[in-house]
Amino acid sequence: MKYRQLTKEQLEELHEEFARFLASQKIDVTEWERIKKEKTEVAEEELNIFSDLVWDDVLTKSEFIEHYSKSSINLFKCQETLIVRIMVKTSNPLIDFLKKEGLAWLSKNIGDNSLDFFYAHKNYSKGRNEELFELIEKGGILTKGHLYTSIFEIIKK
């Protein structure tokens, strides 16, 4: 397995896609129920294959990931061969970026002396999707990149 199996909740959300996946392998509902009961290892393998397909599709389409901690925000722009990282770090112990108030403070105090901005980029050391998956597994969130774009506009000046 390339990634990890989708959670029960994720599979429930994708039940129609999973049904089409099974149908593409000529497995109908009755057959699937039989496989789950009598051939659990085959059922697990089907779930693993489907999960990898879903993760590959999601990761391939993903362009931005954000990761938050109390004192820093890591913003990633995931290009084809390069990942760009912007880190916003505060030395102010009263600011907590894990809370809505911390982000509100950031938007109003972007020039505050307690803020440091770091910009870096690197080529992927593994496959692109594998590295994005690792970021997600460590708490990264897929986003549309609004915060990345806003911060990038500020620091490029």
Side-chain angles (χ1 to χ4, degrees):
M1 180 157 212
K2 197 171 176 182
Y3 304 107
R4 71 164 163 76
Q5 196 174 94
L6 296 170
T7 65
K8 182 179 180 186
E9 293 79 16
Q10 290 168 327
L11 285 166
E12 286 172 3
E13 285 290 318
L14 296 167
H15 71 275
E16 290 178 22
E17 290 84 353
F18 185 60
R20 282 194 292 275
F21 167 76
L22 291 174
S24 73
Q25 298 185 55
K26 300 186 178 20
I27 300 173
D28 63 16
V29 175
T30 308
E31 178 68 9
W32 177 242
E33 291 302 319
R34 187 184 68 72
I35 290 171
K36 286 194 310 187
K37 288 177 186 161
E38 298 173 12
K39 299 179 179 179
T40 55
E41 68 285 344
V42 173
E44 280 297 308
E45 186 58 27
E46 292 297 330
L47 289 169
N48 290 345
I49 292 168
F50 178 72
S51 295
D52 278 350
L53 288 171
V54 169
W55 278 114
D56 259 336
D57 184 50
V58 168
L59 295 167
T60 298
K61 292 176 182 174
S62 297
E63 190 176 355
F64 296 96
I65 297 176
E66 297 176 2
H67 186 275
Y68 295 84
S69 70
K70 182 180 183 318
S71 63
S72 67
I73 304 171
N74 284 284
L75 307 166
F76 300 94
K77 182 173 184 179
C78 311
Q79 299 173 348
E80 193 173 325
T81 60
L82 188 74
I83 187 162
V84 180
R85 176 185 180 193
I86 297 173
M87 184 169 83
V88 180
K89 187 169 180 62
T90 182
S91 58
N92 183 338
L94 301 175
I95 304 304
D96 185 349
F97 290 133
L98 293 171
K99 296 183 178 171
K100 193 170 27 173
E101 297 81 14
L103 293 174
W105 179 89
L106 176 63
S107 69
K108 293 176 186 161
N109 298 281
I110 200 75
D112 193 90
N113 288 338
S114 72
L115 290 173
D116 288 311
F117 297 88
F118 303 93
Y119 177 87
H121 57 82
K122 72 172 187 94
N123 291 322
Y124 298 105
S125 55
K126 302 177 185 174
R128 177 188 184 276
N129 288 358
E130 287 80 9
E131 287 199 36
L132 271 56
F133 182 76
E134 285 179 9
L135 287 171
I136 292 167
E137 289 293 282
K138 292 176 182 172
I141 304 163
L142 296 173
T143 70
K144 301 228 183 272
H146 300 297
L147 186 55
Y148 176 96
T149 304
S150 298
I151 299 291
F152 181 77
E153 287 300 315
I154 291 165
I155 65 171
K156 80 173 191 179
K157 291 179 182 177

